[in-house]
Amino acid sequence: MRQGLVALVAALVSTGPLAPAARVPTTIAGPAFAQIAADFQSLVKAPSAATVQGFDPALAQALKVSSSQERSECPGLLGGSVRVFSARRLSSNVATVDFGLTVDGCTSRFVGTAVPVNGTWRVSWVTVCMLVEDQGTVCPPAPHGVIATVPLPYSLNARRQLASEPPGLVRPEDMGDGPHGSLLITDVDRDQILQWWPDGRLGVFAGTGQPGFSGDGGPARQARLDPAYEPTVALAPNGSVYIADSGNNRLRIVSPNGTISTVGRYPGISGVAVSASGVVYIATGSAVERLSRTGKATVIACASFRSSSCPPGHSQGLPKGTGFSPSLIAPEGDGAFVVWSDGPRDLFRMTPSGELTDLGPDYIDAMAPAPDGSVLLAEHGTAVGRVVGTHVEHSYISLDKANLAGYATGVCGSFQPDGIAAGRNGTVYVDTFIGNGWTCDNGLVQVGANGKGHELRITTPVLASLPSATNTGFPSNIYPLPRPASGHDLPACPSRQGIEPFTAVVAKKALAVASRFNAFVSSFYGDLRSTDRAWWPNVFSDWVSNYYDNDTHTIVSSGPASKDLFAAAVAHACGEQLVEDSMVVVVGPSAYSSQVSHLYFLDRDGQPLIYFQDQ
C-alpha cells in the first residue's frame, strides 16, 4: 500500500518536458475511455508494449515475480480483474485513471496514469511499477526515453485513509481530561503532550518535541519531556495536570498558568492518579505509592517477593505468590482505585489504605475515571471495558469500525484503543495509532452512551503544531524553515541552507540509515507532510531499538537521485538543482515489511536527512 508523501501527489508534468496542467480536468469518455479500460485490464492478463508505455522484458519479469509474492494486503497481481471507474485528462500528455484491482475476492483501489503513445493512450510505465512494488518487488530502471508521469500513481485506499487521519497525531498514546473541557493526548513519537479542543483546534500543551529533560520553572511548552511508552496524565481538581515523565523517572506538574515543575524523582513511574480530594498516587512497576504535599512517597501496596523494600503488611489481599507489578492506576468514585498489574496482567481494586481485591486477568492499555464513579478500560482489543466496584464488565463499548462514522473502513486492521478519557456527559474518547491492532491510520474518536461514535476533526494545520524553529533547543541549523513547492507534488521543499555535496563519509551514513529504515511504519514520518523538517535526528534510532523493526532492509541500489523513478516529481516540485544535490537509496523488503521505498537524502552540515519517500 502506498503511504507517505507520494499519496499526496496531485500535480502534473508530461512524459517529456514539463507541461502545464489543464485548469479543469476533462473527463474521458467514449472510445478513448474504452481503450484505457482495455489497456488497464491487460495488467492482470498479458500486458505488452501495445498496452503499457515502455513495456520491456525487465518490467514483464518484475510483474511476473511480484504476482507470486502475495505479500501485500491482497494476493498476487495476475489472474484477477480490473475495473476502471473513471479517467480524467489533465493535459495533452497525461490522464489520471481511477481503477480497482480484484484478485481472489480482494479488491484494492488505485489511481494510476495513462499517457499518449503514437496517438493512443497507454498505461504509464510508472503505474505498473506501483503495482509491482506494492507486492515487494523492486521495479527495474525505466527504459531509455521513458520519464515518470506526475501525478505519480497511488493507492486510493491509502489516499482516503491519509485524508481522514487527524493531522498532527503521529503516535497518540495516553489520553486524559484537560483543563476547561479540552483533551490531552500524549504523542510519544513527538515527545509532546498535545491539547485538543472541541472546535477542532490542536495545540501543544507541554514539550518542545525534542526528548530530554529541561524547562522546570518555565512554560511547559518550552520544556523537554521523555514520556516513553504508555505515558499517563491526570487532571487534578484545582486544574493542574500531572505527567508521568517515565523516560526521566520523574513526576511533573503543569500548573493552571502553564508553568511546569518536578514533583519528585520516582524510578519506574508509569502511572499517576489524583483522588477527588487532590491526593496523588503513582504506580512504579513494583508498588503503588501515595505522595505527600511535599512529594514524599509512602508505599501503599506492593509484593514483597518482588521488592525487598516492600514494608510488612503492604500486600493485603494479594494471594500468596501472586505477581503484582502495578503499571496503571485510576480512581473510582468511592475513594478506591483500580490498579492494573503488568506482570501478570491482572486487575485489582485497591482501598486508600492499600488493601487489594483481585478482579481477575485482563490486558489493557489505559484507564480513565468516569463521571459516574466507574473506571473505563482501554482493552487490548477492539472494546472499552468498565469497572464498577468489584465488577468488571468486558466489552462495555464495542469499537467495531462499523460503529465509528468517519473512521477508515478499509481492509486494514481494527480500532485498538491506546488512550481513553471520559467527558462529563458520559461521552467516551479513545485514540489509536498506525500499526496498533494492524490498523492503517491514526484515529481520535468519540463514542456516545448508545455505543455509536464518530471520528473527531482536527482543524489545525500539521505544521502549526510541530516544533517551531524558534523553540528553545530546536536545531534550526539542521532543520531550517522549508520553502514553498511548485505545484502539489510535495507539500514543501527543503531549504537550500547548509546543503553540501555528498562525501563518502556522509554517503556511508545515509546507507546505514536506509538499511534500518522501517518502511512498515514509515507513515509516521510521511504523515508529517513537512519534508526535511519532519523530525529530529534520532528518529531512526528510536524505531530501530524496539520490536517494530527487528530486522534490516536490503539496499537494492544507491546513487544520484537524478537517475531515480521519482526524480521528475521532485524536480518539478523543488527544482532540478535539489535533485542534482541529492542521493537516493532504494531499499527492498525485510523479513518484517514487504514494502519497497525510494529514500531521497540531502546532506546538510554533514547530516544525511530524508526529505522524500515514495512509500
Side-chain angles (χ1 to χ4, degrees), residues 358-375:
D358 191 346
L359 303 182
D362 206 346
Y363 187 6
I364 63 173
D365 290 310
M367 301 193 300
D372 63 2
S374 65
V375 170

Side-chain angles (χ1 to χ4, degrees), residues 346-439:
D346 210 348
L347 278 175
F348 293 87
R349 188 172 193 264
M350 186 191 76
T351 67
S353 64
E355 184 175 353
L356 297 170
T357 301
D358 191 346
L359 303 182
D362 206 346
Y363 187 6
I364 63 173
D365 290 310
M367 301 193 300
D372 63 2
S374 65
V375 170
L376 300 176
L377 312 174
E379 297 185 325
H380 198 75
T382 58
V384 171
R386 183 172 68 156
V387 177
V388 181
T390 59
H391 173 69
V392 180
E393 184 178 354
H394 297 288
S395 300
Y396 167 63
I397 296 175
S398 170
L399 294 178
D400 186 293
K401 288 193 293 187
N403 296 330
L404 307 178
Y407 184 71
T409 56
V411 296
C412 206
S414 56
F415 192 105
Q416 179 175 299
D418 290 296
I420 188 166
R424 294 180 180 178
N425 59 355
T427 300
V428 177
Y429 301 93
V430 286
D431 63 32
T432 192
F433 66 85
I434 295 174
N436 185 27
W438 304 106
T439 187

Side-chain angles (χ1 to χ4, degrees), residues 148-243:
T149 57
V150 179
L152 294 172
Y154 56 83
S155 161
L156 192 60
N157 291 339
R159 170 74 176 205
R160 286 176 173 172
Q161 289 163 358
L162 287 169
S164 68
E165 286 172 19
L169 297 178
V170 182
R171 193 181 181 197
E173 288 269 8
D174 188 61
M175 296 176 66
D177 295 323
H180 310 296
S182 65
L183 286 177
L184 298 180
I185 306 168
T186 303
D187 194 320
V188 293
D189 270 2
R190 289 175 52 169
D191 297 290
Q192 291 178 310
I193 310 296
L194 305 180
Q195 188 171 24
W196 178 87
W197 298 91
D199 61 4
R201 286 177 295 139
L202 182 73
V204 176
F205 179 78
T208 64
Q210 188 176 22
F213 177 78
S214 70
D216 276 355
R221 283 176 289 185
Q222 295 181 14
R224 290 190 185 185
L225 305 173
D226 189 5
Y229 188 64
E230 291 188 352
T232 52
V233 295
L235 178 66
N238 67 354
S240 297
V241 174
Y242 287 89
I243 301 171

Side-chain angles (χ1 to χ4, degrees), residues 545-570:
S545 63
N546 70 35
Y547 68 92
Y548 273 107
D549 200 7
N550 52 14
D551 56 87
T552 57
H553 294 263
T554 302
I555 295 178
V556 177
S557 64
S558 65
S562 58
K563 306 295 184 182
D564 190 64
L565 164 65
F566 303 105
V570 176

Side-chain angles (χ1 to χ4, degrees), residues 1-7 66 69-74 110 129-139 154-155 157-159 161-162 165 412 434-435 438-441 514-527 548-549 551-557 566 585-599 612-615:
M1 184 175 64
R2 312 292 285 181
Q3 292 182 336
L5 296 174
V6 142
S66 64
Q69 294 284 58
E70 299 191 3
R71 300 185 66 175
S72 186
E73 292 168 3
C74 293
F110 298 94
C129 276
M130 170 188 66
L131 299 177
V132 164
E133 295 195 345
D134 189 57
Q135 292 291 333
T137 300
V138 179
C139 202
Y154 56 83
S155 161
N157 291 339
R159 170 74 176 205
Q161 289 163 358
L162 287 169
E165 286 172 19
C412 206
I434 295 174
W438 304 106
T439 187
C440 294
D441 54 339
S515 69
R516 60 181 190 264
F517 182 76
N518 192 331
F520 185 78
V521 294
S522 62
S523 55
F524 288 152
Y525 322 123
D527 291 349
Y548 273 107
D549 200 7
D551 56 87
T552 57
H553 294 263
T554 302
I555 295 178
V556 177
S557 64
F566 303 105
V585 180
V586 180
V587 294
S590 68
Y592 188 74
S593 168
S594 65
Q595 291 187 359
V596 174
S597 290
H598 296 238
L599 310 177
F612 173 81
Q613 61 183 90
D614 75 300
Q615 290 267 17

Side-chain angles (χ1 to χ4, degrees), residues 25 67 80 125 128 137 156 200 202 211 216 252 269 287 383 444 492 536 548 571 591:
S67 69
W125 182 86
V128 182
T137 300
L156 192 60
L202 182 73
D216 276 355
R252 305 180 80 174
I269 184 172
L444 173 60
W536 303 96
Y548 273 107

